[in-house]
Amino acid sequence: KAGVTQTPRYLIKTRGQQVTLSCSPISGHRSVSWYQQTPGQGLQFLFEYFSETQRNKGNFPGRFSGRQFSNSRSEMNVSTLELGDSALYLCASVRMDRAGETQYFGPGTRLLVL
Amino acid sequence: DAKTTQPPSMDCAEGRAANLPCNHSTISGNEYVYWYRQIHSQGPQYIIHGLKNNETNEMASLIITEDRKSSTLILPHATLRDTAVYYCIVSSSNTGKLIFGQGTTLQVKP
């Protein structure tokens, strides 16, 4: 099976702009989770979508939003970018079975806000 | 979700077994123990997970104590490519949420 795809891989934006990141999960997986990784805060959970519905949300401001489409692909959007939003944004494709949930991560999108 | 405690760093000689410990004394009955690793600037890689029983796959073995308050990840024959940050995470199912701590930086040396 193909792995998790994230686009774009690298992005440079300026303060005040908005950005949309895309994630295609592994075929057959209906749940997608998003994470932010920074040197100071480490890996932090943003939100999770299952069957087009946000099921769980982390402690991030409303500038961070997401959505999931009927084909399970997901996007996350950050509006009014701040310097502190510079980070590696990771998407995880979630497999659910009798052994519980397993998350498979994509390569990430590295965002630099100038 | 229960909190985990891991040593910040460990060294291991190439070819030897690497044993990475994790304490999760507040784990509840429906929480799984997951192990992930992250090689610099890449996405975390799933290694193994378990609920109560010991588990083994092609990458590693997971040993969970009978009281489930601690676990050990075993890489049987460490190679230089196993140098990474290893995260032990405790999480219940159906949340889609993993809480990452600081992990253990494993340095495999020749």
Side-chain angles (χ1 to χ4, degrees):
Chain A
K1 281 186 176 179
V4 181
T5 304
Q6 290 189 248
T7 57
R9 292 293 310 279
Y10 303 93
L11 205 49
I12 299 175
K13 292 284 187 179
T14 56
R15 278 181 299 172
Q17 287 187 310
Q18 67 128 19
V19 67
T20 299
L21 311 181
S22 180
C23 171
S24 293
I26 294 169
S27 177
H29 292 186
R30 295 167 58 191
S31 174
V32 171
S33 293
W34 287 90
Y35 296 82
Q36 181 198 64
Q37 185 172 26
T38 61
Q41 299 298 319
L43 265 157
Q44 294 186 284
F45 171 76
L46 279 158
F47 31 65
E48 183 244 4
Y49 284 86
F50 174 73
S51 292
E52 302 177 65
T53 301
Q54 187 180 87
R55 191 171 59 166
N56 209 342
K57 188 177 188 303
N59 189 25
F60 278 81
R63 300 186 297 108
F64 292 81
S65 62
R67 59 178 177 169
Q68 186 180 32
F69 302 94
S70 58
N71 62 357
S72 295
R73 188 177 71 86
S74 177
E75 289 181 347
M76 69 160 283
N77 184 277
V78 188
S79 62
T80 319
L81 283 166
E82 301 176 359
L83 295 180
D85 296 333
S86 295
L88 180 66
Y89 289 89
L90 293 155
C91 162
S93 180
V94 185
R95 182 184 74 189
M96 303 174 189
D97 56 26
R98 289 184 302 170
E101 285 187 351
T102 306
Q103 297 195 21
Y104 299 92
F105 286 81
T109 294
R110 188 165 295 281
L111 172 65
L112 177 62
V113 181
L114 301 175
Chain B
D1 292 320
K3 182 179 168 59
T4 62
T5 303
Q6 300 178 253
S9 64
M10 292 181 63
D11 289 342
C12 177
E14 189 178 18
R16 304 298 291 268
N19 295 276
L20 291 89
C22 179
N23 286 322
H24 31 79
S25 57
T26 60
I27 191 171
S28 59
N30 66 341
E31 289 182 314
Y32 290 79
V33 179
Y34 292 86
W35 283 85
Y36 283 80
R37 72 181 182 184
Q38 188 174 28
I39 297 169
H40 184 61
S41 294
Q42 298 181 19
Q45 178 187 22
Y46 166 77
I47 301 174
I48 198 166
H49 76 285
L51 184 62
K52 297 178 183 177
N53 301 321
N54 297 338
E55 302 287 345
T56 295
N57 63 20
E58 65 279 3
M59 288 184 68
S61 295
L62 172 61
I63 308 298
I64 303 174
T65 58
E66 193 170 341
D67 64 7
R68 302 211 318 129
K69 293 185 177 182
S70 66
S71 61
T72 301
L73 177 74
I74 301 172
L75 307 178
H77 306 287
T79 70
L80 299 179
R81 290 188 298 179
D82 291 323
T83 292
V85 179
Y86 287 77
Y87 297 98
C88 169
I89 301 164
V90 171
S91 180
S92 53
S93 194
N94 298 321
T95 67
K97 175 181 178 181
L98 298 175
I99 298 177
F100 287 80
Q102 296 305 306
T104 295
T105 298
L106 174 68
Q107 182 74 44
V108 180
K109 299 184 174 180

